[in-house]
Amino acid sequence: MDTPLQALEQRITDLEIKASFAEDTVEQLNAVVVRQQAQIDRLVRELVELRDRASAAEPGGVRSLRDELPPHY
C-alpha cells in the first residue's frame, strides 16, 4: 500500500504529465490558428484585389442582368 507521500508524488507526476500534454496541445492549436490567420489575410488581400479589378473594369456603369446573358441570346 502506498504511503501518503508516495500517493502525493504519484499525483504530482500525473499532473505534470497532463500539463505536458496540455502544453503540447496548446502549441499545436496555436500553430493551426497562425496558419489559418495567414490564410485569411491572403484571402482578404485577394478579395480586395478582385474588387479593385472589378471596379476598374466597370468605371461607373451599373450592369444589369441583360449584360450577363450569354451572346447567343
Side-chain angles (χ1 to χ4, degrees):
M1 183 169 233
D2 288 341
T3 66
L5 183 57
Q6 289 173 328
L8 185 58
E9 286 176 352
Q10 184 59 46
R11 287 181 64 198
I12 291 172
T13 301
D14 291 344
L15 288 172
E16 287 173 339
I17 291 170
K18 287 180 182 182
S20 176
F21 279 115
E23 211 172 281
D24 185 51
T25 301
V26 167
E27 287 177 14
Q28 290 176 7
L29 290 173
N30 186 53
V32 169
V33 169
V34 168
R35 188 172 61 243
Q36 287 179 338
Q37 187 60 52
Q39 186 178 27
I40 289 169
D41 292 342
R42 183 177 48 81
L43 290 171
V44 166
R45 284 191 305 271
E46 288 178 13
L47 179 62
V48 168
E49 184 179 323
L50 287 172
R51 282 184 185 163
D52 291 345
R53 284 185 194 174
S55 295
E58 301 174 20
V62 177
R63 296 182 65 158
S64 70
L65 290 177
R66 286 261 177 231
D67 295 334
E68 300 296 323
L69 289 175
H72 64 279
Y73 278 97

